[in-house]
Amino acid sequence: MPSRAAAHTKGRASVLAALTATVLTVTGSPALAAADGGHPMNRAFARAAAEFDVPRDLLAAVGYGETRLDDHSGRPSQAGGYGVMHLVSNPTNRSLEQAAALTGKPLAELRTDTAANILGGAAVLRSYADKLGLDARDRDDIDAWYPAVARYGGTQGPAAAFYADTVYTFLADGLKAVGPGGERISVTSRPVSPHKGALSATGVRTQSPDYPSALWVPANPNNYATGRSAKINKVIVHVTQGSYAGSISWFQNPASAVSAHYVVRSSDGKITQMVRDRDTAYHAKSANASALGIEHEGFIDDPSWFTESMYRSSAALTKYLCDRYGIPKDRAHIIGHSEAPGNDHTDPGPYWDWTRYMQLVGGNTGGGNSADGLSFTSYATQQSGSTGAQVKAVQQLLNEQGYSAGAVDGSFGPATRTAVTAYQAARGLGADGVVGARTWTALLSAGATPSLQQGTSGDGVKRLQRSLTAALGSTVGIDGSFGPATVTAVRGYQTSRGLTADGIVGPDTWAALQTGR
């Protein structure tokens, strides 16, 4: 999270994200979409939805997109947002105060009580629907709510569309989340065709002037300084302590006096540039003059935000910036906000996988040989034309599981593609013939399903560690010993997939891995 340099005084749209964006916790079509009478958060969503005539799944998807349904113990986001529904109180977004007026709830209760906060979020959404002229029939059509959802994100133009598209991705793909106390909150997948109106793709795309893969949404001029007083020599990794759209909105707010050069979205790695590289963003105090700041959507105490898509997209950006400005690709020059001199912030926090990130920045995709031919520090996408040790691993696993991939020669040719496609079709993985994270996970975890927990060891643990490395997109030491690091990885996987996060690998966890979840 950024902070403005003390030495500085106040200075002075895009193709909408595809609704097929990969979301870490999306799990297909879970059955539960209504409140569970014994679970408080589900009850709160159902009651709020009924009171304000807002679709329950839409309300849950908005909350998930804002906070992963975590109220962060009443602590505000960097934009001044509170609770599961991220009700905001800052000079340009007063949704918290609006919720208080609409519900009659005190501000303190809306900030700290989850049921009240969800009720407030529903009230605000309904007020936006009313202003759009949605009648009772319109409100029954979940696609009609798109402009109201976009407004809820607290920004305008491309950023508002990014926000609404993410919410509709959750509706399209479905999701399962785990709330406080292990309560499960689900959204059922469904076909969506949102009514985008003025937020349609036409005329809102603006490409980043410095990084071609990014979009350009400028920060308010009050939140950065034109030009630089030092040579660019480092990249600083931040975590937003808030949502992607909320952070973009905050950097556009002239009262914030903070900014970053780039913001990276969790669900699909989408990047928005907000300050030109040649200008000085206010993100790291004394390091501002010489640093480029990259914000990552999420919260430092919740690793589920740090997705494979985010790591890969951010690492590609960092590699590009290092090459462009001659920055050494090492941890002395690619640092966290907490490592910048004179800073009191703790981001990116203990769950940021520096080993994985630096491997990606340095071009190391785990393609080298491993002792057993199957264990790698990461599993890269393999497809027609790929070659090397990881193709050999794919071929070996397919052959062992009865899908003839031909010779184990490390060349991804027609026979290998045919075998991959057949394997994917049989397991409902999407038969595209490309070995991505889901197919890797299923291939690597196939076999017996023994109960595993801390203290166990052997080949079953190795198989588990390989499949977790593929599923999580971060290195899990593959040594066959179920130690504390493996426990942490298992719990992270279970939490992100809506499983009981007990660190024990039983039938449910194996089933999830073997279906590529």
Side-chain angles (χ1 to χ4, degrees):
M1 186 169 64
S3 57
R4 182 175 179 170
H8 288 297
T9 58
K10 289 188 177 180
R12 336 142 309 286
S14 61
V15 172
L16 299 181
L19 289 180
T20 55
T22 301
V23 181
L24 177 64
T25 56
V26 166
T27 56
S29 304
L32 179 61
D36 181 332
H39 294 135
M41 190 175 289
N42 277 300
R43 277 202 310 273
F45 277 123
R47 289 172 178 172
E51 181 163 343
F52 288 99
D53 196 18
V54 178
R56 180 267 178 199
D57 280 5
L58 181 78
L59 191 61
V62 168
Y64 184 83
E66 287 283 7
T67 65
R68 297 295 194 267
L69 306 181
D70 185 343
D71 70 355
H72 298 97
S73 301
R75 298 188 302 272
S77 71
Q78 68 160 320
Y82 293 87
V84 166
M85 298 303 296
H86 197 245
L87 295 174
V88 179
S89 179
N90 69 46
T92 60
N93 186 345
R94 311 288 287 181
S95 61
L96 178 67
E97 289 79 7
Q98 185 180 2
L102 292 166
T103 64
K105 300 285 186 183
L107 294 175
E109 186 176 352
L110 289 165
R111 285 193 292 261
T112 59
D113 182 84
T114 294
N117 187 268
I118 291 172
L119 189 72
V124 171
L125 273 169
R126 171 60 187 272
S127 73
Y128 294 158
D130 289 345
K131 289 175 182 176
L132 289 165
L134 300 187
D135 60 21
R137 177 175 292 184
D138 294 328
R139 293 194 298 272
D140 288 338
D141 179 3
I142 207 163
D143 290 329
W145 284 83
Y146 184 94
V149 171
R151 184 169 179 182
Y152 192 94
T155 189
Q156 298 177 351
F162 301 158
Y163 176 86
D165 282 343
T166 300
V167 171
Y168 275 79
T169 295
F170 299 145
L171 294 171
D173 293 344
L175 63 85
K176 270 184 159 182
V178 178
E183 182 180 359
R184 299 187 181 194
I185 298 93
S186 300
V187 167
T188 302
S189 64
R190 76 210 61 217
V192 296
S193 183
H195 307 161
K196 298 186 177 183
L199 289 168
S200 63
T202 303
V204 299
R205 178 177 179 82
T206 304
Q207 191 173 43
S208 159
D210 292 314
Y211 185 57
S213 298
L215 300 168
W216 171 246
V217 177
N220 187 278
N222 190 58
N223 300 338
Y224 66 92
T226 301
R228 286 185 179 270
S229 60
K231 178 183 177 181
I232 297 171
N233 64 13
K234 65 180 69 68
V235 173
I236 298 182
V237 171
H238 300 265
V239 173
T240 60
Q241 293 299 97
S243 71
Y244 176 77
S247 297
I248 291 172
S249 176
W250 189 231
F251 295 160
Q252 291 179 308
N253 185 331
S256 73
V258 293
S259 61
H261 293 90
Y262 299 90
V263 185
V264 186
R265 187 162 62 186
S266 170
S267 62
D268 58 0
K270 174 66 74 179
I271 298 173
T272 292
Q273 183 178 14
M274 301 199 68
V275 176
R276 291 294 304 269
D277 293 354
R278 68 192 181 200
D279 293 330
T280 304
Y282 298 155
H283 62 104
K285 292 185 178 178
S286 62
N288 286 339
S290 60
L292 292 160
I294 304 176
E295 285 279 358
H296 298 82
E297 180 185 25
F299 291 83
I300 62 172
D301 57 357
D302 185 351
S304 70
W305 291 90
F306 304 148
T307 64
E308 173 70 0
S309 295
M310 172 180 276
Y311 276 123
R312 287 188 175 275
S313 179
S314 175
L317 169 61
T318 294
K319 182 178 187 300
Y320 174 89
L321 295 173
C322 288
D323 290 341
R324 183 176 185 182
Y325 298 107
I327 303 170
K329 299 186 183 90
D330 58 39
R331 286 285 283 112
H333 297 85
I334 303 171
I335 64 174
H337 191 179
S338 61
E339 299 169 300
N343 281 275
D344 56 0
H345 292 255
T346 58
D347 54 314
Y351 296 110
W352 183 261
D353 190 340
W354 278 109
T355 300
R356 172 68 171 150
Y357 190 68
M358 293 305 295
Q359 286 173 343
L360 291 169
V361 170
N364 180 357
T365 60
N369 290 311
S370 65
D372 58 18
L374 297 175
S375 300
F376 300 88
T377 56
S378 63
Y379 292 86
T381 299
Q382 306 298 323
Q383 56 192 317
S384 294
S386 297
T387 59
Q390 292 202 11
V391 176
K392 282 188 176 182
V394 169
Q395 293 167 329
Q396 178 182 331
L397 291 164
L398 287 166
N399 287 339
E400 288 174 353
Q401 295 174 45
Y403 294 84
S404 180
V408 181
D409 58 5
S411 179
F412 201 122
T416 302
R417 178 180 172 81
T418 297
V420 169
T421 303
Y423 181 84
Q424 291 170 325
R427 282 157 178 75
L429 294 170
D432 60 3
V434 176
V435 182
R438 292 189 64 201
T439 303
W440 267 122
T441 301
L443 282 167
L444 291 162
S445 61
T449 58
S451 179
L452 302 174
Q453 57 187 310
Q454 187 164 357
T456 56
S457 60
D459 288 341
V461 176
K462 268 194 172 183
R463 185 157 46 87
L464 168 68
Q465 291 166 331
R466 292 186 197 110
S467 55
L468 287 171
T469 296
L472 295 173
S474 57
T475 302
V476 178
I478 303 170
D479 58 5
S481 178
F482 202 125
T486 302
V487 173
T488 298
V490 169
R491 285 178 175 157
Y493 176 81
Q494 291 170 327
T495 298
S496 64
R497 270 61 174 181
L499 304 169
T500 301
D502 56 7
I504 298 172
V505 181
D508 289 347
T509 302
W510 277 119
L513 289 165
Q514 292 183 349
T515 54
R517 278 176 54 188

